[in-house]
Amino acid sequence: MRFLGKDISTPLTLASGILGISFSSLQRVIRDGAGMVTTKSLSIQPRIGHEGPVIAEFTGGLINSVGLTNPGIAEGLEEVEKFRSGIDGVVIVSVFGANAQEFVQLAKAVNDSSADILELNLSCPNVEDEFKRPFALMPEKITEIVSAVKAVSSIPILAKLSPNANDISAIAKLTQAAGADGLTMINTLGHGMVIDAVAKRPVLRNNFGGISGPCIKPLALKLIHDAYKVVDIPILGTGGVSTGLDAIEMMMAGASAIGVGSAVYDHGLDVFNSIRGEMEEFMDNHGYANYSELIGILEEN
Amino acid sequence: MRFLGKDISTPLTLASGILGISFSSLQRVIRDGAGMVTTKSLSIQPRIGHEGPVIAEFTGGLINSVGLTNPGIAEGLEEVEKFRSGIDGVVIVSVFGANAQEFVQLAKAVNDSSADILELNLSCPNVEDEFKRPFALMPEKITEIVSAVKAVSSIPILAKLSPNANDISAIAKLTQAAGADGLTMINTLGHGMVIDAVAKRPVLRNNFGGISGPCIKPLALKLIHDAYKVVDIPILGTGGVSTGLDAIEMMMAGASAIGVGSAVYDHGLDVFNSIRGEMEEFMDNHGYANYSELIGILEEN
Amino acid sequence: MKCDRQTLPIAAIREENASLRTFTFHGNLSASPGQFIMLTIFSEGEKPFSILDVDEKSFSMTIKNIGPFTNKLFSMDVGDLVSIRGPYGRSFKRQTGNILMVGGGFATPPLRFLAKKLREDDVKKLVNINGAHSEEDLLYVEDFEILCHQSHIATDNGSLGYMGTSVDVMEQVLQNEKFDQVYISGPEKMAKAAVAVAKKHQLPYEVNLERYMKCGVGICGSCVMDPTGFILCMEGPIVDDQTLDKLEDFGTAHRGKTGAKTAL
Amino acid sequence: MKCDRQTLPIAAIREENASLRTFTFHGNLSASPGQFIMLTIFSEGEKPFSILDVDEKSFSMTIKNIGPFTNKLFSMDVGDLVSIRGPYGRSFKRQTGNILMVGGGFATPPLRFLAKKLREDDVKKLVNINGAHSEEDLLYVEDFEILCHQSHIATDNGSLGYMGTSVDVMEQVLQNEKFDQVYISGPEKMAKAAVAVAKKHQLPYEVNLERYMKCGVGICGSCVMDPTGFILCMEGPIVDDQTLDKLEDFGTAHRGKTGAKTAL
Ligand SMILES: Cc1cc2nc3c(=O)[nH]c(=O)nc-3n(C[C@H](O)[C@H](O)[C@H](O)COP(=O)(O)OP(=O)(O)OC[C@H]3O[C@@H](n4cnc5c(N)ncnc54)[C@H](O)[C@@H]3O)c2cc1C
Ligand SMILES: Cc1cc2nc3c(=O)[nH]c(=O)nc-3n(C[C@H](O)[C@H](O)[C@H](O)COP(=O)(O)OP(=O)(O)OC[C@H]3O[C@@H](n4cnc5c(N)ncnc54)[C@H](O)[C@@H]3O)c2cc1C
Ligand SMILES: Cc1cc2nc3c(=O)[nH]c(=O)nc-3n(C[C@H](O)[C@H](O)[C@H](O)COP(=O)(O)O)c2cc1C
Ligand SMILES: Cc1cc2nc3c(=O)[nH]c(=O)nc-3n(C[C@H](O)[C@H](O)[C@H](O)COP(=O)(O)O)c2cc1C
Ligand code: FES
Ligand code: FES
């Protein structure tokens, strides 16, 4: 199948922020069964991110407050070049800037690299102290950033949206209008707090974090389906996928490819092969010959 | 302990919409260990609500699209009167109107009954087709409705808020300013979709629903804590509580009483006594003598 | 999980009479007599139905065409998909002594299932009374014949068996024979009359009840019965004598689609 | 769950030397030698530490005061609360033949724990080499004396035992005696040297490695080693010879707090 013009053997994609710092992790995920990999979100300058604990568990999911730890765009793109030798696989480079100007600078660097696709992280809920509300909740900001990046990018652009948006149809439409070639949906849900009752403290050093994992799947499915109904660009569906059935459901809701994040935590890297196997089994049992037959076939009641 | 001027033996409260149609259910929940009970949200006219299926499960929670099924305020208040004979217990009557005028009409009826507390359901995510965005996401609407109701109500008013609000601190403050005597936080999270991949259909007849259960607890804790920091009125904390530890955490975050909804589905009505027992055990082990010592003692890192 | 679903094609449809059909599905349902399932027709709705029979790889329900949902179901064909969750509720508590089953109308499926299980349990004596308006409304006449030691029939118009109700037959049977347990499943007025008879003879009994059910899993409150707050979908639909004694709603009142209470 | 925490008061603090203390906690930790925990100081941060010892109701770690986090820890008293999750990672694969352990500096806690377990396993011969800068930096001298059949000491300044490194002693020991397995835990340069010696003698070995760790559970990527993408927190920190052979980063490069790679 194809996604944004690239051939992929499976729609499964490593989501941004999971092991995605080094070329060696990215290569390993491809060998373990993913069709595409997304890098950790890269900023212009290196970022340490938040102090630990940066992850906590609860029934149904994870919260994290990693806070965009990354070695900076220059070093990040070196890893992408190293990735290229010895393996085939589509690389999505995720970037995060403080404003449209930074996003443009980052986009130029990515365009000068061998990256296949550029992902704009407009929706990290873990840096609000620093950067205020996620751009993905502010229509004007989305338009400004996406159209500025579009003007300088010759590789396809994915805009990563937030589940906290209250009117996803409007946002999906204006993101497409601004020039996005695809949508990544969804980032983590802001904000969750896990409390240590003995210590009377939040578990995370940064007190709260973004919610991911199985429990955000129903939210992701609804948002993806709403967006699918109003845009013509492909959606990289992400949020709570850990089984083949999850992935099938998400494609039925409208996703053209599937991001996998927290499931790596729950099940290890084998999860790519197991999801792949389960998808194939379902498709065999129910008469689907190609992944593309699944996309958006959900019928509302 | 006391909540909005009423003596209660335990902070545990039946959340609105769970078994809360008949006096006999409400009495039973009190006998099974709750200190307060909330009725199903009552509207002026009876409502059938949505066709079934109205509930579906997923990892970590439930989605429901009951759609405010209720026999109407007149019959609902008759049940409240019947409840009074033979049992002690605080009754919170939840109401839902299409506009401020209806809320005022409902509030007057509740004030003419023996209800202890009035809860304004400003945040049902299941009737958007009919009533558009939940009021709890629109600051002007909250102010309009709460202040209009305040003008006619001599019993305390709880305003029930939505987890979909993007700036809960602002909303909590203006809700207090409009005259609310307390906040109920949180209603179900909108919107989730559970998909039946074999049928290529959403499971719920209404396609989507509000999310509740363990997976919304981290969201509830964060929102309650944010609100607690900016208001002086008590909070009826609700969202994903199913163990004593959950309830303790929520009180530490700032709740003065605790609503329990989906846990009744997961564990049956015994859950009130088990939560109560677990809370007492924790308090004994960690040297808390009264529930009130727990309220808001969370320290941020 | 309580709401786990099986989405299945209708495997077989058998016409029982003009308004009743038995729908069979290939699937796994580990259920006991008296339990029910919630059946979804996509884009239509979801309704409760008693389980008629279960074996290793299939199960079935007998359904009456009575309104919008069942109309739609009767328009469906073998192969069409529906979705089923359950089994739900409390089943009959099976005894192995002398057993009397009293059924009426299209509420007899659970008794048919119960009879099969009681025979597997090696019940001492099993007597069934099958009542309906007329001969063509009677269900499973041959099945009860085969499964029970005695099998009586009552029709209101006398078109088959005794002319009268199954409760009339019950009174007669109880005059001549001793029983240890009575199981009752029929319209609520009939069940109420049967309960009165069982009481008079000081026999333990269990009754299959129906109320409007929306969730089937004890959360929506629509099936709750006064004044004890009995949750019929979870704690019933099979109700024992002591519990039933406290249900003032039995035979007198029920709640409709809005939760409003009306007289029966 | 992988991130289950125990929030516990410090039960005991033992001064090992000027910069090292052993912290003991009453709690349950089912761990093997080589595994580590993540320790949180509230409002401060969270850091990985090897497990020194575990019994039914307590466990302990030996920690060096080296920077902001450990400064803060050293300012804490018995009774103060911290939070611990784990144990994490792969432990030493225990053998029962002739065993040589080569340790350096404050990386010896896992070897101390390993020695205890090997004796419980009834190991044939257990020889330890304990190296440090000077006498006062040596850890568990008596413990190794008691736990091992032979216990050698090396100090850079010769203040106790052999003057030189533990790797120097290792070469000598291997000239005279036969071993089946080598376990190595020390600063990475020393470990690299020890590995070279083990290789020369064609002995199987396992090495305890350290990398910057943020999550400890294989999700953040900060501990990953090139070029295989080995996830040290989950698949290590104990690394066997075949795996180590492929890790070009071993002894040459590591990643810091931003994930940027620098030479060791
Ligand atoms: C535990 C239980 C077991 C049942 N078993 C059977 C069975 O084996 N075979 C069978 O034919 N019917 C059974 N019923 C009744 C069946 O659910 C209704 O006949 C069906 O819902 C009718 O729906 P409709 O839209 O076709 O008719 P409608 O016109 O909607 O209703 C016709 C009548 O059916 C009843 N009904 C409607 N909706 C419901 C509901 N959600 N819950 C309960 N009753 C309802 C009411 O009495 C109503 O007056 C059972 C009901 C319950 C509660
Ligand atoms: C698997 C493992 C086991 C360890 N076991 C022990 C032990 O038993 N005893 C002990 O004293 N130390 C141990 N360490 C090292 C310990 O984690 C660091 O000494 C500690 O984090 C220093 O923090 P700081 O803020 O005091 O110093 P900083 O000034 O922050 O750092 C000092 C040095 O400690 C190391 N370090 C800092 N943060 C980390 C981190 N998050 N992960 C790994 N290394 C870090 C770096 O080499 C750094 O240069 C272990 C590390 C790992 C990875
Ligand atoms: C530990 C962690 C780190 C993440 N870091 C990033 C990031 O740097 N950039 C980004 O766009 N999303 C980041 N995400 C969000 C994921 O890419 C993904 O959108 C989200 O977790 C939902 O998918 P999941 O439920 O499969 O994890 C991170 C998620 C986790 C759990
Ligand atoms: C089946 C169901 C019906 C509900 N109906 C109502 C309602 O009528 N009015 C209301 O304010 N909240 C309603 N709620 C929301 C609950 O009162 C509660 O706010 C929410 O479920 C979160 O709590 P929980 O996680 O403990 O269920 C309903 C929730 C459920 C699960
Ligand atoms: S049908 Fe919902 S509680 Fe019984
Ligand atoms: S420390 Fe995060 S992956 Fe190893």
Side-chain angles (χ1 to χ4, degrees), chain A residues 161-180:
Chain A
L161 302 183
S162 164
N164 292 84
N166 277 323
D167 187 354
I168 200 68
S169 305
I171 288 196
K173 269 191 281 191
L174 70 89
T175 308
Q176 167 171 347

Side-chain angles (χ1 to χ4, degrees), chain B residues 9-76:
Chain B
S9 58
T10 156
L12 299 178
T13 305
L14 179 71
S16 181
I18 284 77
L19 291 174
I21 297 176
S22 57
F23 79 95
S24 60
S25 298
L26 298 174
Q27 287 188 338
R28 185 168 171 183
V29 173
I30 293 284
R31 285 192 303 266
D32 279 344
M36 303 193 281
V37 287
T38 314
T39 67
K40 177 82 196 163
S41 293
L42 300 169
S43 48
I44 293 175
Q45 294 301 321
R47 287 178 56 90
I48 292 177
H50 297 302
E51 282 296 318
V54 293
I55 56 165
E57 282 172 283
F58 64 94
T59 312
L62 281 185
I63 66 170
N64 90 79
S65 61
V66 170
L68 299 178
T69 305
N70 81 89
I73 186 75
E75 172 140 359

Side-chain angles (χ1 to χ4, degrees), chain A residues 24 28 57 69 196 265, chain D residues 2-3 7 214 226 235 261:
Chain A
S24 62
R28 184 167 170 184
E57 283 172 284
T69 305
D196 178 334
Y265 172 85
Chain D
K2 283 186 191 172
C3 280
T7 296
K214 203 158 176 176
D226 294 339
E235 298 169 314
K261 203 162 164 178

Side-chain angles (χ1 to χ4, degrees), chain A residues 18-19 22-25 28 31 47-48 50 52-53 55 57 69-71 75 79 196 199 201 203 205 265, chain D residues 1-3 5 7 40 42-46 214 217-219 224 226-229 235 255 257-258 260-261:
Chain A
I18 283 77
L19 291 173
S22 57
F23 79 95
S24 62
S25 296
R28 184 167 170 184
R31 284 193 302 267
R47 288 177 56 90
I48 293 177
H50 297 301
I55 55 164
E57 283 172 284
T69 305
N70 81 90
E75 173 139 0
E79 298 286 333
D196 178 334
R201 296 275 191 167
V203 166
R205 174 65 182 83
Y265 172 85
Chain D
M1 300 205 290
K2 283 186 191 172
C3 280
R5 306 180 151 269
T7 296
T40 297
F42 295 104
S43 292
E44 181 67 36
E46 186 185 42
K214 203 158 176 176
V217 288
I219 193 164
V224 166
D226 294 339
T228 52
E235 298 169 314
R255 292 176 189 281
K257 293 175 195 230
T258 67
K261 203 162 164 178

Side-chain angles (χ1 to χ4, degrees), chain C residues 167-240:
Chain C
V167 182
D168 298 336
V169 177
M170 179 186 182
E171 299 223 53
Q172 292 174 14
V173 169
L174 284 174
Q175 261 150 28
N176 307 319
E177 291 177 73
K178 291 238 167 301
F179 289 91
D180 302 309
Q181 174 77 34
V182 180
Y183 299 113
I184 301 164
S185 184
E188 202 152 312
K189 297 264 171 221
M190 175 238 128
K192 184 126 194 170
V195 160
V197 174
K199 268 203 165 134
K200 198 175 69 187
H201 287 84
Q202 295 180 302
L203 287 174
Y205 52 87
E206 287 189 315
V207 182
N208 179 26
L209 294 184
E210 281 186 19
R211 282 296 177 274
Y212 195 82
M213 291 185 185
K214 201 156 175 175
C215 73
V217 288
I219 195 165
C220 74
S222 73
C223 70
V224 167
M225 294 178 75
D226 295 337
T228 52
F230 186 75
I231 305 170
L232 191 73
C233 65
M234 267 176 53
E235 299 171 312
I238 308 306
V239 186
D240 68 21

Side-chain angles (χ1 to χ4, degrees), chain B residues 14-18 38-42 54-55 62-69 94-96 119-126 160-161 184-189 210-217 238-242 259-265, chain C residues 219-220:
Chain B
L14 179 71
S16 181
I18 284 77
T38 314
T39 67
K40 177 82 196 163
S41 293
L42 300 169
V54 293
I55 56 165
L62 281 185
I63 66 170
N64 90 79
S65 61
V66 170
L68 299 178
T69 305
S94 171
V95 298
F96 172 81
E119 182 172 276
L120 307 177
N121 180 358
L122 304 170
S123 46
C124 181
N126 282 318
K160 188 159 183 180
L161 301 183
T184 303
M185 298 177 64
I186 54 178
N187 212 317
T188 54
L189 173 70
I211 302 174
S212 62
C215 75
I216 66 166
K217 192 187 73 173
T238 307
V241 172
S242 70
V260 177
S262 307
V264 172
Y265 172 84
Chain C
I219 195 165
C220 74

Side-chain angles (χ1 to χ4, degrees), chain A residues 15-17 40-41 64 68 121 160 186-188 212-213 238-240 261-262:
Chain A
S16 180
K40 177 81 196 165
S41 294
N64 90 79
L68 298 177
N121 180 359
K160 189 160 181 180
I186 52 177
N187 213 316
T188 55
S212 62
T238 308
S262 306

